[in-house]
Amino acid sequence: MYAASREASSRAREALRAALTGSDSVAATTGSELFAVVAVLDDQRSLRVALADVSVPGSVRAELSERVFSGKVSPATLAVLTTAVAQNWSRTADLVDTLVLLGQEALLESAADSGRLGAVEDELFRLARIIGDNPDLEQALSDRAKPTEAKRALIERLLAGKAESITQTLADQVVTRSKTSIGEAFDELSDLAAARRDQIVAHVRAAVALTDQQRDHLGASLQRIYGKPVTVHVQVDSSLLTGVVVRVGDDLIDGSATGRLERLRRALA
């Protein structure tokens, strides 16, 4: 984002924090309704452009959003929306993407308020692994030629009775409009949930499944390195032969046999 959109996004997030008072149901409703607003904007280009048109005063744009959505969303959602559209955005897409992010954050806030944030984070990570390990599934969920309702039905069947309702809402939104890798989108959501718990995420590929003791030891070691709690997500990858590969943000720690053999090969080249 350019500077104008970063400032606009910051103010919209302040409005979200102010709106999310009361029970976790307020946050859940706000998140779901922001996703519904995004769906309308995705379908109506003229409205989308009008709400982000910097040649029009922000107050006029806010009034337009209120006329369109008043009575259709809760007061909390409307307050967030009118604040967001009143800002000056560098690109129309930045407004829409920020509304998506605010919807995600509101739903994660609801999960935190109800004590279910850890479960949602873990489900999002596991969903990313399932999709990443199944190319046919990822293709089916990413295929832009496939009807949206078909993709939504597929993800609903995958999660039915197995996931938190908030996880299902987040997943539905991802497959409806994600323009990147579906697996990566779920990884990003899992990281967002961890950040909400003030933790960083270590994505670990291991040659064999780690025991609880090994996972705890790895997490404690990484916490000493990074200075804050670390959520460890493990994916078994037998191609590594032995050891683990750890990714934390842009940092990569390769302690696998494959990695050691590659370093030896480069040293001998």
Side-chain angles (χ1 to χ4, degrees), residues 94-114:
D94 291 342
L95 166 61
V96 179
D97 289 346
T98 294
L99 292 176
V100 171
L101 177 60
L102 296 182
Q104 293 169 345
E105 292 183 345
L107 287 167
L108 293 176
E109 177 79 12
S110 174
D113 289 345
S114 60

Side-chain angles (χ1 to χ4, degrees), residues 1-8 88-91 94:
M1 284 187 183
Y2 291 107
S5 285
R6 287 197 299 271
E7 176 64 22
N88 289 331
W89 298 88
S90 305
R91 301 184 310 148
D94 291 342

Side-chain angles (χ1 to χ4, degrees), residues 139-152 154:
Q139 173 60 30
L141 292 172
S142 304
D143 188 354
R144 295 190 182 183
K146 194 179 187 69
T148 297
E149 288 307 315
K151 291 188 283 187
R152 294 176 70 177
L154 177 57

Side-chain angles (χ1 to χ4, degrees), residues 37-208:
V37 169
V38 168
V40 172
L41 298 183
D42 282 343
D43 287 340
Q44 299 186 25
R45 181 180 182 279
S46 58
L47 177 61
R48 185 170 72 244
V49 172
L51 291 179
D53 186 354
V54 295
S55 68
V56 177
S59 59
V60 175
R61 285 179 272 133
E63 289 173 4
L64 173 60
S65 67
E66 189 163 4
R67 288 199 304 273
V68 173
F69 293 102
S70 182
K72 300 175 183 176
V73 298
S74 66
T77 302
L78 192 60
V80 175
L81 177 61
T82 54
T83 298
V85 301
Q87 310 307 312
N88 289 331
W89 298 88
S90 305
R91 301 184 310 148
T92 301
D94 291 342
L95 166 61
V96 179
D97 289 346
T98 294
L99 292 176
V100 171
L101 177 60
L102 296 182
Q104 293 169 345
E105 292 183 345
L107 287 167
L108 293 176
E109 177 79 12
S110 174
D113 289 345
S114 60
R116 305 304 299 161
L117 183 58
V120 170
E121 178 193 337
D122 186 62
E123 288 169 355
L124 290 168
F125 169 77
R126 293 181 184 279
L127 184 55
R129 300 285 71 74
I130 290 170
I131 293 172
D133 291 340
N134 190 329
D136 290 340
L137 176 59
E138 179 154 21
Q139 173 60 30
L141 292 172
S142 304
D143 188 354
R144 295 190 182 183
K146 194 179 187 69
T148 297
E149 288 307 315
K151 291 188 283 187
R152 294 176 70 177
L154 177 57
I155 200 71
E156 286 171 7
R157 289 198 301 272
L158 185 64
L159 296 178
K162 304 173 186 176
E164 300 283 337
S165 60
I166 288 174
T167 302
Q168 294 182 41
T169 301
L170 289 166
D172 180 88
Q173 199 275 335
V174 166
V175 301
T176 297
R177 73 182 308 274
S178 180
K179 298 179 178 62
T180 60
S181 162
I182 296 294
E184 289 178 5
F186 284 119
D187 269 336
E188 290 172 0
L189 275 174
S190 178
D191 289 355
L192 187 63
R196 175 63 182 74
R197 296 198 294 147
D198 196 29
Q199 298 196 353
I200 48 181
V201 177
H203 294 279
V204 179
R205 289 189 295 129
V208 297

